[in-house]
Amino acid sequence: MAGIRILETAHYVPERIVENEELTHYMDTSDEWISSRTGISRRHVVTAENTSDVTLKVAQALLAQADLEPAKLDFILVATMSPDYLTPGVAAQVQGALGAINAFALDVNAACAGFVYALTVADKLIAEGQRGLVIGADVLSKLIDWDDRTSAVLFGDGAGGFLVEGVPVSAIHATDLATFGIDNHAIRAGKVANKNVIAGEISPAEPYFAMSGRDVYNFATRQVPMSIVKALDSAELTLSDIDKVLLHQANGRMVEQIAKKLKQPLEKFPTNIAEYGNTSAASIPILADELIKSEAIKRGDKLVFTGFGGGLSLGTTIITY
Ligand code: ACO
């Protein structure tokens, strides 16, 4: 079936690095707790940029790498749960900034699973010969309650993405998308207040991130292996056909547990969480770009991408690079 193939990959993270030790000045935590429970050593945090800025950096890098005019793009999809505004979407802001006048632009919000969802949308929408950007970008530092040590230590800001092209046979072999809305309360952020003139204040703001970390941990370690097996079955592949499994980078211990459940060597599950923390929708494309640029992933490699997070949402795709 027609669909996408990956032409280029790129990522961008803010310059400012916040080491675990620095967080001990702002909250009651320690490098030992953070690194032993999560595998995170540092994260990159914006000082002046917003989500559209980090997304634009990735879009510009992708176009420069491909030597492609912005007007040649047919679409821009941005996976994000932290847009600058509820409207315009980040994708529309970036389309305008690039001058990608022939591209339609759409944000996709499936939190940390968003990049897999956006890639799936691109695969279904694209026509042969078309080109588009699929970017995952989040600036969660603006949604974090910096007094809540249980979530503040986990996240970092960044963006990563792919330039994709429409081809007669999709590079995507199979996809498994699932939503567990019954557990939507497990991760929440960004509720705006409604103080309408008709009824007064009917809904106060709850801007900051609230998460039941343990519930999300259990959800991911239970559901992610099942999703990967389901996608492999529908692609008529097995884990031995797969070169690398790129999981959403939420917690290094989760990655270890999922690899163990799937009875696979940990080397198949590369991580970069020590450097970036959880960058939400950006984590899979940042990791993919790093591995491709360092030639740890080569053309022809079969990859699994699995994202999970707010919703609760889950998405697995199996793709040949
Ligand atoms: N520093 C020091 N102590 C801490 C910190 C901290 N930063 N945070 C919590 N603690 C304490 C707690 O208060 C608790 O103390 P107590 O035993 O005295 O009550 C103790 O450490 C243990 O806390 P737990 O919450 O039980 O720790 P746990 O081992 O479950 O680890 C963590 C918490 C790291 C959040 C883990 O549950 C996790 O990674 N969950 C998954 C989160 C996730 O994947 N989110 C992804 C989705 S995000 C998205 O979609 C955008």
Side-chain angles (χ1 to χ4, degrees):
M1 261 217 305
I4 55 166
R5 80 175 181 105
I6 302 168
L7 284 182
E8 298 288 341
T9 65
H11 79 275
Y12 172 81
V13 289
E15 268 175 41
R16 176 72 157 88
I17 293 172
V18 179
E19 302 282 349
N20 288 347
E21 198 279 329
E22 183 178 345
L23 292 180
T24 65
H25 303 290
Y26 314 130
M27 63 195 80
D28 180 16
T29 189
S30 65
D31 175 42
E32 201 282 319
W33 192 96
I34 302 169
S35 49
S36 66
R37 300 271 180 150
T38 69
I40 299 168
S41 304
R42 62 191 68 83
R43 70 284 296 139
H44 295 238
V45 174
V46 296
T47 50
E49 297 157 307
N50 209 330
T51 309
S52 63
D53 302 306
V54 296
T55 310
L56 181 62
K57 287 271 194 341
V58 172
Q60 288 167 330
L62 290 168
L63 292 176
Q65 284 171 216
D67 196 17
L68 190 72
E69 295 294 316
K72 295 267 168 59
L73 288 175
D74 296 287
F75 60 80
I76 299 172
L77 299 179
V78 176
T80 187
M81 59 166 282
S82 55
D84 300 16
Y85 306 97
L86 292 178
T87 194
V90 173
Q93 288 180 281
V94 168
Q95 191 259 18
L98 284 176
I101 50 170
N102 297 309
F104 72 84
L106 175 72
D107 284 9
V108 174
N109 180 351
C112 302
F115 187 75
V116 171
Y117 280 72
L119 214 52
T120 308
V121 173
D123 192 56
K124 304 297 173 209
L125 278 179
I126 205 163
E128 210 178 315
Q130 288 190 328
R131 275 163 291 194
L133 303 181
V134 184
I135 299 175
D138 270 308
V139 171
L140 291 191
S141 60
K142 68 187 170 193
L143 292 178
I144 294 304
D145 175 354
W146 287 95
D147 291 326
D148 174 14
R149 65 178 182 170
T150 65
S151 61
V153 302
L154 302 175
F155 297 100
D157 301 332
F162 299 167
L163 170 67
V164 298
E165 176 185 48
V167 286
V169 180
S170 176
I172 292 183
H173 303 276
T175 297
D176 174 54
L177 304 179
T179 303
F180 301 79
I182 192 134
D183 295 321
N184 72 78
H185 51 83
I187 302 176
R188 284 188 170 170
K191 181 166 177 267
V192 294
N194 185 349
K195 295 180 186 170
N196 74 39
V197 69
I198 312 300
E201 178 162 329
I202 56 175
S203 141
E206 290 168 26
Y208 297 119
F209 211 90
M211 176 173 75
S212 315
R214 182 52 55 178
D215 292 343
V216 179
Y217 192 100
N218 293 338
F219 156 76
T221 50
R222 192 171 56 245
Q223 295 296 338
V224 167
M226 290 200 275
S227 174
I228 292 175
V229 169
K230 200 169 155 196
L232 284 167
D233 284 350
S234 63
E236 297 183 3
L237 294 169
T238 67
L239 275 164
S240 57
D241 299 310
I242 299 300
D243 295 287
K244 296 267 185 305
V245 181
L246 277 60
L247 299 180
H248 166 50
Q249 302 289 292
N251 184 325
R253 281 167 56 187
M254 264 180 188
V255 175
E256 285 165 24
Q257 209 170 325
I258 291 165
K260 200 167 155 196
K261 277 199 175 172
L262 289 168
K263 300 189 175 59
Q264 293 297 301
L266 199 52
E267 302 79 71
K268 229 181 207 183
F269 294 70
T271 68
N272 60 6
I273 190 157
E275 178 65 30
Y276 304 116
N278 178 347
T279 55
S280 188
S283 85
I284 291 174
I286 291 176
L287 182 59
D289 182 47
E290 286 194 329
L291 295 167
I292 286 166
K293 297 266 165 66
S294 68
E295 297 183 7
I297 291 176
K298 298 192 175 56
R299 283 285 174 197
D301 281 359
K302 283 195 178 62
L303 311 172
V304 171
F305 298 154
T306 302
F308 52 86
L312 297 176
S313 346
L314 176 62
T316 294
T317 197
I318 302 173
I319 187 166
T320 294
Y321 172 56

